[in-house]
Amino acid sequence: MSSEIEVVQLDHIPSRHVIHLALFQDVGNAEFLHKQLLSRNADFEYAFVDASVIVSRLHLLSAVFKAVTSASNDVLKTPNVHSEIVANLAASNNVRNHAHSVIQMTDAPQIAEAYRRYGVSTATKNLVAVKVAENGSPSTEQIAEHLAKNVEGTQVPATDEKLASTADMSKVFKYYKLNGLNWLDKIKDHSAKQKEVEMLVVGAMALRGL
Amino acid sequence: MSGDFPLPPILQTPCSSEPVLITQGAEGRLYKTTYLTPNLPCALKYRPPKPWRHPTLDARLTKHRILSEARILSRCRREGIRVPGVYASDEVGGWLMLEWVPGAPVRVRINEALGDRQSGIEEDEGLKDLMRRIGKAIGDMHAVGVVHGDLTTSNMMLSPKPLNEVDGEPEGQKGCLEGEIVIIDLGLASGSLLIEDRAVDLYVLERAFGSTHPRAECIFDQVLEAYNGTFKQAPAVLKKLEDVRMRGRKRSMIG
Ligand SMILES: Nc1ncnc2c1ncn2[C@@H]1O[C@H](COP(=O)(O)OP(=O)(O)OP(=O)(O)O)[C@@H](O)[C@H]1O
Ligand SMILES: [Mg+2]
């Protein structure tokens, strides 16, 4: 098993943060990984995301962008940048409400709900792992090796095609409240529709916590 | 070229390309930059701190404007109205990152199409069709319960292709009136179903249009005509518009 991992360069991120991204298919030890997070094992500081709720790189990387920006501005709402990535995947719960009755997603139950929905669970089949290193620590090699050793699964490039194929759109529609949008259902062209869904998902995330 | 003032902190971070200053208004600046990757252009709308305002009040106002624009854009988008999507926002940093709308402001395209013509404008089918698309776009927005608050031909883009088919390019051709109307600048927009608010929205556009494009005033009726067919209460809004005009006239006579 080769230990390689993608290093993602994002615009408008301070250069001391280096983002690592990996996608694992047919994960055999989700239960073990979930347990490491629950017990706050410091060796497992990753954003472990269930790939079924991710529609594209733009979707996932939007959560990463926001988390790293918050970390560098020192305004994290969760214990660290990795938990923040998972929490950031949650949709704003105020999209349907009127401008003034805004419920802030800063309280613990809502963050716990985000971990449950978007984070690794014992049922996870395909897993996205994100690791944000700071000032070269840990190194890319260390991250690649640690993941290869601890995640039982087939590592594949995290392309848009792969992510689209591992997405569970009924879950995505439910979590991002996209059911019942008639104009969306009417779009015939598959890729045009995917793009609209992606934009709505990203928009819902951008509003979260505001 | 990024202008004569320091870039906002978010644009001082590493980026694959130099940000470009597009406009500098009274309230803020608009830059073209990229979101996440070099191939995804975005509009960064930045509201700098106003040194003449009390800092606490200033921070609160900026935050309010950013939030309200982000919310209303997302709401429109969910309703299927063509507005730029929101990629990210930072109410403390005072910025919004929006989907880049290729094309040009409607104001620019109309002026290009008018050139120095003094006649024949009333029969210009290309321009008249553009007017009707504007009326339809506003009607669709009103129909979902949003009023814009600052309708002008600068706050609408003429985008050469539907947004979702575009990956950043192309910007369309000079004088070309084809394309889709995308309403932008929802900084003063709000949710409202009131006939009065909708009529005022149209009145603001009518006045702005008359002073920006005086030679095209003769075809503005096309906007209203198309608007009339877009949703159930549209005829009542147009009726109300007559009252609003009357009030406006009285006010300018007094004032
Ligand atoms: N999403 C976008 N894509 C491409 N160009 C844009 C976009 N948003 C704005 N622009 C360009 O920037 C100009 C200014 O933007 P906008 O109208 O939103 O700001 P503003 O008028 O300064 O804002 P405000 O009136 O709220 O202070 C627009 O007329 C348009 O040319
Ligand atoms: Mg404007």
Side-chain angles (χ1 to χ4, degrees):
Chain A
M1 180 80 225
S2 71
S3 325
E4 276 183 28
I5 191 164
E6 181 187 352
V7 174
V8 185
Q9 199 81 42
L10 293 186
D11 285 341
H12 303 303
I13 291 284
S15 52
R16 65 175 182 281
H17 303 279
V18 181
I19 297 151
H20 300 82
L21 170 63
L23 174 59
F24 295 90
Q25 288 189 307
D26 303 314
V27 173
N29 64 337
E31 198 164 346
F32 166 79
L33 298 170
H34 185 227
K35 209 175 260 166
Q36 304 315 305
L37 294 191
L38 288 185
S39 64
R40 304 222 164 89
N41 181 348
D43 290 341
F44 283 79
E45 253 211 35
Y46 294 100
F48 280 146
V49 175
D50 194 308
S52 66
V53 293
I54 299 299
V55 297
S56 66
R57 289 175 67 91
L58 181 72
H59 176 194
L60 177 76
L61 294 175
S62 289
V64 175
F65 174 76
K66 194 170 170 180
V68 175
T69 306
S70 297
S72 81
N73 293 337
D74 223 6
V75 292
L76 289 175
K77 288 171 179 161
T78 64
N80 59 63
V81 71
H82 299 101
S83 50
E84 192 89 356
I85 290 170
V86 179
N88 281 345
L89 286 165
S92 147
N93 39 22
N94 63 49
V95 276
R96 280 198 175 157
N97 299 348
H98 283 283
H100 296 292
S101 57
V102 177
I103 313 149
Q104 292 263 331
M105 203 191 98
T106 43
D107 51 336
Q110 293 192 40
I111 291 175
E113 166 85 347
Y115 296 161
R116 246 193 324 275
R117 284 184 165 185
Y118 306 94
V120 66
S121 76
T122 55
T124 296
K125 264 189 62 200
N126 303 309
L127 178 79
V128 180
V130 182
K131 175 79 182 178
V132 183
E134 203 168 337
N135 297 318
S137 164
S139 72
T140 299
E141 293 70 40
Q142 284 169 326
I143 296 167
E145 229 163 81
H146 187 257
L147 281 173
K149 202 169 118 211
N150 289 287
V151 181
E152 287 170 21
T154 315
Q155 197 184 332
V156 294
T159 60
D160 278 330
E161 292 71 31
K162 262 282 171 283
L163 289 170
S165 75
T166 51
D168 175 348
M169 292 312 281
S170 66
K171 252 200 229 173
V172 169
F173 267 57
K174 179 169 170 237
Y175 291 170
Y176 292 96
K177 303 189 183 84
L178 303 180
N179 287 311
L181 301 180
N182 292 333
W183 64 273
L184 183 63
D185 297 337
K186 271 193 239 149
I187 300 176
K188 293 264 151 41
D189 182 74
H190 181 73
S191 76
K193 189 165 175 176
Q194 285 294 106
K195 271 220 140 58
E196 277 301 327
V197 167
E198 181 182 60
M199 194 66 247
L200 291 171
V201 163
V202 171
M205 283 165 39
L207 275 191
R208 197 192 63 67
L210 292 184
Chain B
M1 257 303 290
S2 303
D4 299 332
F5 17 67
L7 287 169
I10 181 69
L11 292 183
Q12 292 177 24
T13 49
C15 181
S16 48
S17 55
E18 281 283 301
V20 179
L21 182 67
I22 303 291
T23 60
Q24 183 198 347
E27 284 283 319
R29 298 176 224 150
L30 196 125
Y31 294 90
K32 182 177 187 183
T33 180
T34 49
Y35 178 60
L36 304 182
T37 59
N39 57 5
L40 189 60
C42 80
L44 184 104
K45 193 164 177 173
Y46 175 57
R47 298 183 181 280
K50 314 280 181 297
W52 59 89
R53 265 195 322 230
H54 186 281
T56 316
L57 174 68
D58 184 48
R60 207 185 304 147
L61 283 174
T62 299
K63 185 173 172 173
H64 176 80
R65 294 288 297 275
I66 298 283
L67 287 187
S68 118
E69 186 161 11
R71 284 194 195 118
I72 210 104
L73 283 169
S74 284
R75 174 170 165 194
C76 284
R77 194 69 190 208
R78 281 180 60 86
E79 301 279 0
I81 303 301
R82 303 312 322 184
V83 296
V86 181
Y87 288 135
S89 67
D90 179 349
E91 74 280 12
V92 178
W95 55 260
L96 275 175
M97 276 191 196
L98 306 175
E99 180 181 23
W100 180 256
V101 180
V106 167
R107 169 182 48 81
V108 171
R109 290 291 184 245
I110 291 179
N111 286 340
E112 286 167 357
L114 287 173
D116 50 15
R117 268 190 293 164
Q118 296 294 340
S119 62
I121 294 162
E122 230 164 322
E123 291 84 46
D124 189 322
E125 273 311 316
L127 272 172
K128 282 164 77 178
D129 188 68
L130 175 65
M131 294 295 122
R132 289 192 287 269
R133 272 174 283 147
I134 293 172
K136 165 94 166 60
I138 299 169
D140 289 345
M141 176 183 67
H142 283 181
V144 302
V146 172
V147 292
H148 185 281
D150 189 19
L151 281 178
T152 63
T153 51
S154 298
N155 288 340
M156 298 168 199
M157 302 288 290
L158 186 57
S159 196
K161 275 196 254 165
L163 276 190
N164 48 36
E165 285 172 27
V166 176
D167 270 308
E169 292 281 294
E171 300 287 337
Q173 281 177 351
K174 208 174 166 224
C176 174
L177 300 178
E178 304 274 295
E180 191 182 31
I181 301 291
V182 181
I183 295 177
I184 61 167
D185 195 359
L186 283 93
L188 295 172
S190 55
S192 171
L193 293 164
L194 296 178
I195 301 295
E196 166 86 18
D197 292 345
R198 291 161 166 168
V200 169
D201 230 12
L202 291 176
Y203 182 66
V204 167
L205 178 65
E206 188 173 77
R207 293 298 297 259
F209 192 90
S211 60
T212 314
H213 313 286
R215 279 175 293 141
E217 220 173 353
C218 54
I219 54 171
F220 188 79
D221 61 335
Q222 298 294 309
V223 172
L224 302 180
E225 209 167 285
Y227 179 89
N228 195 31
T230 47
F231 66 113
K232 210 174 110 225
Q233 296 96 333
V237 175
L238 293 176
K239 191 103 192 51
K240 182 63 100 184
L241 175 61
E242 291 168 20
D243 299 346
V244 177
R245 275 189 198 125
M246 198 77 82
R247 275 196 320 240
R249 228 170 273 140
K250 273 194 199 129
R251 199 167 302 134
S252 64
M253 269 178 348
I254 302 164

